[in-house]
Every structure is written in structure tokens, then in C-alpha cells.
Amino acid sequence: ISPILGSVRVRDFSRRNLTMFVRECRLAGLTDNTIQRYAAEINNVLAMAVEYEVLQHVPMWPKLKPTPSRKALLSPEEVMAIINCVEQDVSAPQYKLMIKVQYQLALRLGELLALTPGKFDLQAGTVVIDQQKLNGSDFRVGPTKTKTSVVLPLSPNLIEELRPYVEERDNNAPLWISLQLGPVCRNAYIYVLKQAVKKAGIQKKITSHCLRAVLVSRYVGADTAGLMEFFSSKNTLSVDLNCDIVAEEASMILEVPDIDEDN
């Protein structure tokens, strides 16, 4: 809290300080659920200041979003339907691939948008997930939400689809490029996803987080060798998103709720 708020005399503390604090926390990649916990600590100090008549009242905080409800689950067939319903324009192939990558690797949206060519080893068939894109139009990245680094396997089909995006590219450049030649932003991806969901006729309440529903290996300890064997099987080669085997296993696993995730 201290580096963001800086040195402030309590008697001079105002709503402006709280607004600035929330803004800087969001820019640093924190969700409003996390900020609410910090707000409770700050309010304890401010309430004491009011009690000792240093402040007349506790300043009002800017509106924070409530904890999101539990996300809907999508079947592999529904994901394929969404991919097939992505609006057909010049950017459609990239958005379709983004949905496949997020779904198959169970990535958070920030992790998906933070991917760079240098994170991929196509020969080994792996990708390193160790960063997420921070809010904003520019390409600023920070550590993942769990501040961990994991190496995930890629299916053979996914490797071939990713090859044009990875090979002969700057290792540190954004993997996903918008029509304006900048990094794809959160809002653009979410808009495309929601439009495809609507076109596919899926009635569930959908956010980009729903695409993480099947592969929960990060919560239960990944069996990388087993996953590689699965992705190399004839089942995966026959259907891009044939995750029935994984879904059957995942149904017996209790996923840790990810309540701090925005979208």
C-alpha cells in the first residue's frame, strides 16, 4: 500500500487519494476483489483518524466491482461452435486461434494476451507461461496472478497453427497483433468472443474465463508426460478440440475457485 499512496498527512487525506490508489492497483494488474481487502485495512486507519478527530469522516471509495459469480462451463462441442461462429473477416483466423490456445492451455485472459514468440519451443512442443498482460493499450506485462512459471505441452495441431505466428518473429513482440498493428486488447477479444457466443446460440452467461474450465492441471499438479501422450494420441489428431478424455478425468477433480479473476 505504502509505495502507491506515498507520504500523505492523514488530515489531508481525501477521496482523490483513494481514487488514485484504486487506479494504480488496477494498472498493476490487481483485481477489485484484491483491492477490497487492501481497502479494509486502509479504512481501519481512517476510522481511527475519525475517532481521534483528525478527519471529519472516512472518504468515499470509488465503486469496486463485486466478486463475480461462478463461471459457466463449456463443453468441447460448444467451444468448437463458438470458434466456427467467429465473425468472418481478415482478423478471424487469429481470433479463432486465440480461442483454441486459451481453451487447450487453460489460460487466463491476461496470460493469453501476454504471449510472445519467445515463450514457444515448437520443436519440443511446449510453451512457458510466466507473465500476464497488464491493463492498458500498450504491451506492459507482469508476473502471473499466482506469480509462478509453468511449462505446458502443445498439441501437434496447435503447433502447426501457431508456427506462422512464432517463427521469424521478434521473441519479445506481442504474439497477437490487431488490425491497427498494436497488441490485441482485452476488450477486443472479449467482444469477438461474446459475438461468437451469441451467433452460436449458446444461452449460458459467458466470459473468457469459461474457456479455462477443462484443463485444471495447474491446480492439481500437472502430469506433463501424461498430457503430452494425450495430445499426441490419435484422438487429438482426429478432432482439434477432442477433450472428452480430459473432461471425463476433470469431472472427478474439484477445481479451486478463481474468485479474483476478472472476465
Side-chain angles (χ1 to χ4, degrees):
I1 295 174
S2 177
I4 295 178
L5 284 177
S7 178
V8 183
R9 289 164 57 94
V10 177
R11 68 185 59 186
D12 298 329
F13 205 83
S14 67
R15 189 173 191 275
R16 179 177 179 276
N17 298 101
L18 298 180
T19 301
M20 181 271 292
F21 174 74
V22 170
R23 176 179 178 275
E24 291 299 318
C25 284
R26 286 170 174 166
L27 288 175
L30 299 180
T31 66
D32 282 9
N33 293 314
T34 301
I35 297 172
Q36 281 179 331
R37 295 200 292 268
Y38 294 161
E41 297 297 329
I42 295 175
N43 277 342
N44 288 338
V45 178
L46 297 178
M48 186 180 297
V50 172
E51 182 180 349
Y52 283 91
E53 300 182 353
V54 179
L55 279 178
Q56 290 187 343
H57 58 84
V58 175
M60 182 180 297
W61 284 81
K63 187 175 181 180
L64 298 173
K65 298 178 183 177
T67 301
S69 57
R70 188 172 180 82
K71 310 311 190 288
L73 299 180
L74 292 173
S75 68
E77 293 76 18
E78 287 174 323
V79 175
M80 183 58 77
I82 292 171
I83 291 173
N84 291 335
C85 287
V86 170
E87 200 66 39
Q88 295 300 319
D89 59 22
V90 67
S91 62
Q94 176 175 263
Y95 281 114
K96 289 183 176 183
L97 182 56
M98 290 177 72
I99 295 173
K100 286 184 183 180
V101 169
Q102 186 182 14
Y103 182 69
Q104 289 196 17
L105 300 183
L107 301 181
R108 295 182 176 88
L109 178 52
E111 294 169 348
L112 174 72
L113 297 177
L115 288 173
T116 61
K119 300 297 180 183
F120 291 86
D121 185 340
L122 298 185
Q123 186 172 356
T126 59
V127 59
V128 176
I129 306 298
D130 61 357
Q131 61 186 24
Q132 64 175 333
K133 184 179 182 295
L134 303 180
N135 289 332
S137 58
D138 55 346
F139 193 65
R140 294 194 304 137
V141 298
T144 62
K145 177 185 170 183
T146 54
K147 295 182 174 55
T148 57
S149 175
V150 295
V151 179
L152 300 178
L154 302 170
S155 70
N157 285 355
L158 204 55
I159 291 173
E160 293 310 311
E161 290 192 63
L162 283 165
R163 197 175 296 280
Y165 293 81
V166 173
E167 292 183 340
E168 299 182 7
R169 292 275 308 280
D170 183 340
N171 282 343
N172 298 315
L175 188 69
W176 316 113
I177 303 298
S178 69
L179 294 178
Q180 291 73 38
L181 302 182
V184 172
C185 68
R186 291 171 181 264
N187 289 343
Y189 178 74
I190 292 172
Y191 175 80
V192 169
L193 182 63
K194 288 186 174 181
Q195 290 298 108
V197 168
K198 183 178 179 180
K199 188 176 179 181
I202 297 174
Q203 301 299 317
K204 298 176 181 178
K205 183 179 179 181
I206 299 298
T207 69
S208 64
H209 190 80
C210 300
L211 297 174
R212 302 186 64 226
V214 173
L215 299 182
V216 293
S217 58
R218 214 165 313 169
Y219 295 125
V220 297
D223 175 6
T224 305
L227 286 173
M228 288 295 288
E229 182 179 352
F230 166 74
F231 280 129
S232 300
S233 70
K234 62 181 180 181
N235 292 324
T236 303
L237 290 174
S238 61
V239 180
D240 272 354
L241 293 177
N242 186 357
C243 294
D244 294 339
I245 298 175
V246 176
E248 184 178 350
E249 297 294 329
S251 66
M252 298 183 289
I253 300 173
L254 178 62
E255 180 178 0
V256 177
D258 200 357
I259 62 172
D260 282 354
E261 179 73 1
D262 285 339
N263 289 324

